[in-house]
Amino acid sequence: MRILFFGDVVGRSGREAVIGHMPLLREKLDPDLTVVNGENSAGGYGVTVKIAEEFFAAGIDVVTLGNHTWDQKDLVSTIEQQPRIVRPLNYPEGTPGRGFVLLQTRGNRKVLVVNVLLRLFMEPMDDPFAAVDRVLKAHRLGPGAVDAILIDMHGEATSEKMIMGHFCDGRASLVVGTHSHVPTADHMVLPKGTAYQTDAGMCGDYDSAIGMKKEIALAKMVRKLPTERLSPAEGEGTVCGCYVETDDRTGLALRIEPLRLGGRLSQTVPERGQ
């Protein structure tokens, strides 16, 4: 299988970059599963069902979230309408929505997409490791079970993300980090066959402060002035993410490559395997 993952989409710039580049990426990579983290896509704060449906119309299969899940208050009452919007798994019991989705791709193959919030330097949450472990025990990777499993781990600390990668090694196809909005250079296949990257980076304008207008952030941090609310930068966006190919016999990864397209960063677009 071919899996395409996009990191945090920030504001209109990020949305336009992802949606605008989708035709090229679909033609070039022909992904079986495409996932985007959309938790900053609505003006930098959360997502709406309407924005999620724009992603789906462009060919995205699943939208994952993170610590800004409930910034758009209407999502509390509307998230149940769209099962392909996946909020973090380890919210307390009774929270609206779902922490994973099981869906079918081409050829009737099953894929599982999981979203989890990590805890170091983040708001207190239920144990992410126990939550992920329960899902992976209930949905095993491999023949006759689930053909591919993707885990979006939304967290701040690189150490915690790496531990989650090793915790899931051999049980998931891809474990990829979001939240820091900076792409890391550690994409690799772990020893037991799980593709891993600490952070996929953001989709948005990199002439910014992690996607937000740099002038506002400068005034806030350098001069300690009261400022308006941070808002997304509006220049040309860079699409950042990763591309994974899996072994159909096991569901484990054969390779992982970074994706950076458009905007200011150095460009790299994977080649599809034969």
Side-chain angles (χ1 to χ4, degrees), residues 37 64-66 86-90 99 113-117 152 154:
N37 184 291
T64 55
L65 298 172
V86 180
R87 51 89 171 148
L89 177 70
N90 52 329
V113 178
V114 182
N115 185 208
V116 66
L117 262 178
D152 172 359
H154 199 78

Side-chain angles (χ1 to χ4, degrees), residues 75-93:
L75 193 67
V76 175
S77 59
T78 59
I79 193 170
E80 298 288 351
Q81 300 170 14
Q82 184 43 265
R84 291 191 289 159
I85 301 176
V86 180
R87 51 89 171 148
L89 177 70
N90 52 329
Y91 273 119
E93 186 176 351

